[in-house]
Amino acid sequence: QVQLVQSGAEVKQPGSSVKVSCTASGVTFSSYAFNWVRQAPGQGLEWMGGYIPMYGMIDFTEKFQGRVTITTDETTSTAHMELSSLRYEDTAVYYCARVPQYYNAENKIHFMYGMDVWGQGTTVTVSS
Amino acid sequence: DIVLTQSPDSLAVSLGERATINCKSSQSVLFTSNPKNFLAWYQQKPGQPPKLLIYWASTRQSGVPDRFTGSGSGTDFTLTISSLQAEDVAVYYCQQYYATPLTFGGGTKVEIK
């Protein structure tokens, strides 16, 4: 059974960084694409970006460029998403989600499916 | 960026009745060379992550009850729940994967009347 298990809730001060982990089990980590999606309290879903372990490719929205870093540990099938320079408006639940089909054309990710497996979510609260 | 506009924002339907949710895209998400519509639908219940219901605009994800039907093409899409059950109370989102940045609709809250 495919599962994505995320790290626990965090409370951070404005200006600091947070690192959220997403560990995959029951699946070959490097075969899929993984997205990061966040949801502010009472709000809708916002795609932050995607990562393809096989190519080491990252595609993030312009909004998060320069503030997001993705690292992976293939031995533990874990992706880490670090968001820096935290602001109050970064308070949200952060999800990782798998996309089972994609292709790489001219060094750009093209997703070919919806997000079929989701982590349980990690609550990040930015508060002074 | 592709903007997805859902309507209505919320709706209340009696048990056993039909619920219809619309999703309009600011540009076509039909990839003409396949041809497939790069659109998915999700269901999110309180305190839970979203659950994929439909992909390619009309293909039901494995295990999803057949009362959920996706339809439409190009820029206009619909999710229909043919006979609303109590467990269908949730917020529903459409999402396009035609181009990055991936985008979601604003969500439609479905309640029991």
Side-chain angles (χ1 to χ4, degrees), chain A residues 39 59 108 112-113 115, chain B residues 42 44 55-56 61 100 102:
Chain A
Q39 187 170 37
D59 185 357
K108 187 167 170 55
M112 300 292 289
Y113 210 94
M115 301 178 222
Chain B
Y42 299 85
Q44 187 178 31
Y55 59 97
W56 296 132
Q61 177 72 347
T100 58
L102 305 185

Side-chain angles (χ1 to χ4, degrees), chain B residues 78-100:
Chain B
T78 300
L79 175 69
T80 303
I81 309 172
S82 60
S83 176
L84 191 76
Q85 305 300 302
E87 61 265 32
D88 301 333
V89 169
V91 179
Y92 293 84
Y93 295 93
C94 56
Q95 176 240 323
Q96 64 79 20
Y97 48 98
Y98 181 86
T100 58

Side-chain angles (χ1 to χ4, degrees), chain B residues 12-86:
Chain B
V13 176
S14 300
L15 287 172
E17 295 300 304
R18 178 185 302 258
T20 302
I21 301 168
N22 300 301
C23 176
K24 188 171 183 67
S25 176
S26 61
Q27 68 184 75
S28 176
V29 297
L30 174 63
F31 194 50
T32 50
S33 61
N34 337 64
K36 289 184 184 291
N37 288 283
F38 282 47
L39 187 111
W41 288 96
Y42 299 85
Q43 174 192 66
Q44 187 178 31
K45 297 180 180 179
Q48 296 184 19
K51 173 188 173 183
L52 178 65
L53 296 176
I54 303 280
Y55 59 97
W56 296 132
S58 60
T59 303
R60 230 173 269 116
Q61 177 72 347
S62 175
V64 173
D66 60 7
R67 63 180 180 272
F68 291 93
T69 301
S71 61
S73 184
T75 60
D76 292 281
F77 301 90
T78 300
L79 175 69
T80 303
I81 309 172
S82 60
S83 176
L84 191 76
Q85 305 300 302

Side-chain angles (χ1 to χ4, degrees), chain A:
Chain A
Q1 183 186 355
V2 180
Q3 266 195 307
L4 298 179
V5 179
Q6 298 184 221
S7 49
E10 303 264 13
V11 178
K12 294 291 182 180
Q13 293 204 325
S16 67
S17 298
V18 68
K19 196 172 192 177
V20 179
S21 301
C22 173
T23 300
S25 63
V27 63
T28 304
F29 182 70
S30 60
S31 300
Y32 302 99
F34 294 90
N35 283 322
W36 291 91
V37 176
R38 76 177 188 179
Q39 187 170 37
Q43 302 300 308
L45 301 167
E46 178 182 28
W47 183 73
M48 297 176 68
Y51 174 69
I52 301 185
M54 180 175 288
Y55 298 111
M57 289 175 62
I58 299 173
D59 185 357
F60 270 76
T61 59
E62 203 172 313
K63 176 178 178 177
F64 297 103
Q65 298 287 353
R67 283 215 295 148
V68 171
T69 304
I70 296 286
T71 55
T72 59
D73 181 345
E74 302 259 345
T75 61
T76 59
S77 297
T78 300
H80 305 277
M81 189 275 297
E82 185 169 17
L83 183 62
S84 62
S85 302
L86 288 170
R87 309 155 185 166
Y88 294 112
E89 55 265 35
D90 291 320
T91 294
V93 177
Y94 289 76
Y95 294 103
C96 61
R98 182 186 81 161
V99 177
Q101 293 179 21
Y102 64 90
Y103 69 93
N104 176 5
E106 298 174 5
N107 252 1
K108 187 167 170 55
I109 302 172
H110 297 268
F111 297 104
M112 300 292 289
Y113 210 94
M115 301 178 222
D116 69 337
V117 180
W118 292 67
Q120 82 276 20
T122 297
T123 300
V124 175
T125 303
V126 182
S127 174
S128 55

